[in-house]
């Protein structure tokens, strides 16, 4: 995807411009993480029938766009559909995905639901995630720079069955929060319940 320009129906800025903005907004370490997530997502999408490689690339590049943003920037989006005032109690770990999606929509003209939802939900997962949403959700978790305990298992699962990798990330993320004595954003539990009930059917 590197040399190719984005499809203007998906995003209204060029790849170069997006990379420039990312580099200016994000710490070097995070910028490199974003590039690795893109590489991982594109590789995954190429191997998954029905996945969209270009959407995987765009969603990956956008996903942490707002990771270093302030609550002040978030507050500009108070009227956006889906804005949840509870986000403020859970910190940027929870709202940076939604904020990136809202910026992508308002500032970069992204209207594609797969991309917007993939970005919005990349931290906690979403209801009835599509293939493209699952790709970003998992790629962010297993990109080659990740070193947490269990990442090898996640990579192995992702190789064989995307849903198993989604399942693993959802569970491990909640376990990790509980283990470290942190509060869990209620939607995380609701999404986990919805996912698990449907998976057990
Ligand atoms: Fe993120
Ligand atoms: Fe990320």
């Amino acid at each position: 995807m590197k040399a190719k320009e984005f499809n203007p129906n998906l995003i209204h800025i060029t790849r170069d411009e997006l990379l420039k903005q990312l580099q200016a907004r994000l710490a070097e370490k995070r910028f490199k993480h974003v590039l690795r997530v893109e590489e991982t997502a594109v590789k995954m999408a190429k191997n998954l029938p029905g996945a969209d490689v270009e959407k995987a690339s765009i969603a990956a590049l956008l996903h942490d766009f707002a990771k270093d943003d302030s609550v002040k920037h978030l507050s500009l989006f108070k009227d956006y559909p889906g804005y949840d005032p509870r986000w403020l109690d859970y910190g940027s770990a929870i709202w940076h995905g939604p904020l990136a999606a809202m910026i992508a929509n308002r500032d970069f003209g992204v209207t594609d639901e797969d991309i917007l939802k993939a970005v919005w939900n990349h931290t906690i997962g979403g209801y009835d995630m599509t293939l493209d949403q699952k790709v970003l959700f998992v790629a962010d978790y297993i990109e080659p720079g990740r070193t947490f305990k269990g990442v090898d298992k996640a990579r192995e699962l992702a190789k064989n069955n995307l849903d198993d990798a989604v399942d693993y990330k959802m569970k491990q993320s909640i376990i990790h929060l509980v283990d470290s004595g942190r509060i869990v954003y209620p939607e995380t539990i609701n999404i986990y319940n919805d996912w698990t009930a449907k998976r057990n059917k």
Side-chain angles (χ1 to χ4, degrees):
M1 296 300 295
K2 294 263 151 67
K4 219 181 128 220
E5 273 315 324
F6 295 141
N7 174 350
N9 292 326
L10 293 178
I11 187 164
H12 295 171
I13 60 169
T14 63
R15 183 188 169 84
D16 269 3
E17 181 54 33
L18 179 55
L19 289 176
K20 225 184 279 166
Q21 289 202 30
L22 280 166
Q23 207 158 12
R25 300 171 67 92
L26 301 179
E28 178 72 9
K29 222 176 111 191
R30 179 120 49 224
F31 178 64
K32 287 188 170 151
H33 158 72
V34 166
L35 295 182
R36 288 192 302 267
V37 173
E38 189 207 12
E39 250 182 74
T40 306
V42 165
K43 219 183 274 173
M44 287 169 67
K46 282 183 177 162
N47 286 321
L48 288 163
D52 187 309
V53 175
E54 184 160 22
K55 287 186 191 180
S57 158
I58 294 173
L61 289 177
L62 289 169
H63 86 283
D64 276 345
F65 192 85
K67 185 91 183 195
D68 294 333
D69 279 23
S70 63
V71 172
K72 217 169 139 201
H73 194 186
L74 177 66
S75 69
L76 299 178
F77 290 84
K78 275 200 305 283
D79 300 324
Y80 195 98
Y83 180 96
D84 183 353
R86 293 177 302 177
W87 287 337
L88 299 172
D89 300 330
Y90 297 89
S92 68
I94 290 299
W95 53 253
H96 77 276
L99 180 55
M102 295 186 287
I103 294 170
N105 176 241
R106 268 201 197 167
D107 299 349
F108 305 148
V110 178
T111 55
D112 183 89
E113 282 288 304
D114 273 332
I115 296 177
L116 292 176
K117 283 195 175 161
V119 172
W120 188 293
N121 295 325
H122 80 266
T123 309
I124 66 170
Y127 298 101
D128 301 316
M129 284 190 280
T130 61
L131 185 55
D132 294 313
Q133 291 166 44
K134 290 173 183 170
V135 165
L136 177 61
F137 187 66
V138 172
D140 188 29
Y141 198 56
I142 63 166
E143 61 93 345
R146 296 288 196 199
T147 55
F148 60 87
K149 198 171 147 256
V151 70
D152 288 334
K153 170 145 196 217
R155 289 184 181 124
E156 201 49 43
L157 292 171
K159 245 187 246 165
N160 298 316
N161 185 310
L162 185 62
D163 279 353
D164 288 347
V166 168
D167 190 67
Y168 187 73
K169 176 176 171 178
M170 270 198 200
K171 287 178 180 160
Q172 291 304 312
S173 305
I174 294 173
I175 290 169
H176 176 71
L177 285 170
V178 173
D179 265 353
S180 51
R182 308 230 289 277
I183 54 173
V184 181
Y185 177 53
E187 271 300 279
T188 310
I189 304 289
N190 294 338
I191 288 164
Y192 163 78
N193 283 342
D194 184 69
W195 166 263
T196 303
K198 286 172 180 160
R199 200 168 146 86
N200 291 344
K201 253 185 201 160

